[in-house]
Amino acid sequence: MANKFKKWFKPPKVYQARLPSSPASAYIVFVGSDKRGFGGQGKLNAEYFLPKFEFGAQKAGVATHFYISSDVLVQNLHAYHSASIAVIFVYNEEHFRSYPSEKNVAAIVQRPNTLVFNAPASGRLIAFKTATNELLAARGVDVPKMVESSIGSKVFSNAVIGSQTPTEVLDETCDVDASRYNTELIDTRYEYMGNAYYVCLRALCVGPKLVDLYIRCRPVSEGSPNVHSGDTPLDPELLNAIYNDRVSPRLEELETICASISDAVGPCFFAHDILLGQNGRLAVCEVGWKFDDSTLRKHLWPISGALDFMQRTYTGAVAESAGTYVAELVSSRDASDSG
């Protein structure tokens, strides 16, 4: 196990699978993918996120432990005795072979006083955009309306599974491929200094709690409403304007949306992509897992000092607050269970 562990961490001694050194009432336990450990999955920059998360949990009086796979955790579950633990699985929900084994998950879920984040049942659901859309719509969350045939207006067509997949906008008369994730096209244009931009928000959440919010946009002149992190212009005045004008006044609404998604899907480390409609709609177009969005964080680094709304991101305060939040959850769970 040691050699496998070294493959993912430098220096490896920083994060080792370790047993509790002294009895405590609550712990947080990270569990890596059986295939890839903690890295290489597009979900977690471990060396950036985990130390700050662990520090936040420690401030709340809860220790954080790390296991390279679900096998290793199951072998050591007995060491936690009756303590309350939060188990956080790290794997890519779109890569089904990276899931922890059903046998191990059952042993963990059935353990008393155990709170599980990123359970495979949740992963299998949100891996499919169509299933996520149907569930959230049934729960009253605004999502783009799915379509199965031409509707007399433009249609946004995406793959059912996967991110960074090719998308297209279909004209009113085009045939719709029913095997894809097809929805109404929501107008997300934002006008700034004589130019128009498509805007999509990314909300990072721990369960129901909104911990960070990114603005992603791209010029309409580029021809596609599909917005990715790398499309976002390095223009702090533009991004600050979008945040102050369209986002900040609606933070409470966004927090409510995030809480509703968690209630529907279960506790996870989420990344919600939310369309910022020109008409005021806040429509959830995709739900996935992420601990931190290192792609956008690195992309915006050259202008980070001028982005007031992202200062907590770049100081590590977001990861720290996530650790504190989970620590408080698992501690309160222990208190309620023991009471």
Side-chain angles (χ1 to χ4, degrees):
M1 186 185 71
N3 289 336
K4 184 178 180 181
F5 184 83
K6 289 179 181 179
K7 182 178 180 181
W8 296 108
F9 286 100
K10 296 179 181 180
K13 65 182 180 180
V14 175
Y15 289 110
Q16 300 178 34
R18 57 185 185 268
L19 297 177
S21 57
S22 59
S25 61
Y27 299 90
I28 297 172
V29 177
F30 277 86
V31 184
S33 160
D34 295 349
K35 297 289 185 182
R36 295 198 170 195
F38 292 100
Q41 302 176 86
K43 302 296 176 180
L44 171 67
N45 184 327
E47 292 177 321
Y48 173 85
F49 182 85
L50 292 180
K52 298 173 178 64
F53 180 100
E54 184 175 15
F55 179 67
Q58 185 178 24
K59 289 202 305 182
V62 174
T64 307
H65 299 155
F66 303 86
Y67 293 90
I68 198 65
S69 70
S70 60
D71 286 337
V72 181
L73 172 60
V74 169
Q75 292 167 10
N76 294 302
L77 274 177
H78 66 279
Y80 292 95
H81 302 291
S82 61
S84 180
I85 61 174
V87 176
I88 303 171
F89 286 112
V90 181
Y91 60 98
N92 190 316
E93 76 277 11
E94 297 169 355
H95 300 164
F96 300 122
R97 292 184 179 180
S98 72
Y99 280 45
S101 72
E102 293 184 5
K103 179 181 178 181
N104 288 343
V105 172
I108 294 166
V109 170
Q110 293 170 10
R111 178 191 180 275
N113 301 333
T114 303
L115 173 63
V116 176
F117 286 85
N118 300 352
S122 298
R124 293 187 187 95
L125 172 64
I126 65 174
F128 294 88
K129 300 181 182 73
T130 47
T132 307
N133 183 294
E134 290 173 348
L135 173 64
L136 296 184
R139 294 296 189 97
V141 177
D142 189 2
V143 292
K145 181 180 178 181
M146 289 195 293
V147 298
E148 297 179 353
S149 59
S150 300
I151 57 174
S153 60
K154 292 184 177 181
V155 172
F156 185 78
S157 182
N158 199 350
V160 172
I161 299 179
S163 57
Q164 302 290 332
T165 54
T167 64
E168 56 183 328
V169 176
L170 306 178
D171 290 331
E172 293 85 342
T173 58
C174 290
D175 293 332
V176 174
D177 183 350
S179 68
R180 290 173 60 81
Y181 176 49
N182 304 301
T183 69
E184 62 176 315
L185 179 65
I186 295 177
D187 187 356
T188 65
R189 287 174 297 174
Y190 177 80
E191 303 285 339
Y192 178 76
M193 300 292 288
N195 296 307
Y197 301 86
Y198 294 118
V199 181
C200 180
L201 308 180
R202 170 156 287 179
L204 296 186
C205 303
V206 181
K209 184 177 179 61
L210 175 63
V211 296
D212 206 3
L213 191 63
Y214 295 164
I215 294 171
R216 306 190 302 171
C217 62
R218 72 183 304 175
V220 170
S221 60
E222 293 181 0
S224 173
N226 190 23
V227 179
H228 293 112
S229 298
D231 302 322
T232 305
L234 297 180
D235 183 343
E237 294 183 356
L238 166 65
L239 300 182
N240 284 327
I242 295 173
Y243 182 83
N244 293 327
D245 182 26
R246 302 290 300 280
V247 179
S248 179
R250 308 189 68 183
L251 284 177
E252 289 188 7
E253 291 177 71
L254 289 163
E255 289 171 349
T256 299
I257 291 170
C258 295
S260 297
I261 296 172
S262 181
D263 288 343
V265 177
C268 304
F269 279 70
F270 287 113
H272 306 312
D273 289 348
I274 303 174
L275 301 175
L276 187 59
Q278 192 177 49
N279 62 357
R281 285 184 68 179
L282 292 171
V284 179
C285 61
E286 290 188 35
V287 173
W289 287 348
K290 268 193 186 296
F291 293 84
D292 70 309
D293 193 333
S294 59
T295 301
L296 186 58
R297 177 164 44 81
K298 292 175 181 177
H299 175 70
L300 295 179
W301 170 251
I303 62 170
S304 58
L307 299 175
D308 294 339
F309 65 94
M310 290 191 68
Q311 292 310 296
R312 295 179 68 255
T313 305
Y314 288 99
T315 61
V318 170
E320 183 180 320
S321 68
T324 300
Y325 176 69
V326 176
E328 291 173 347
L329 275 182
V330 73
S331 295
S332 64
R333 183 184 182 90
D334 173 71
S336 62
D337 289 345
S338 62

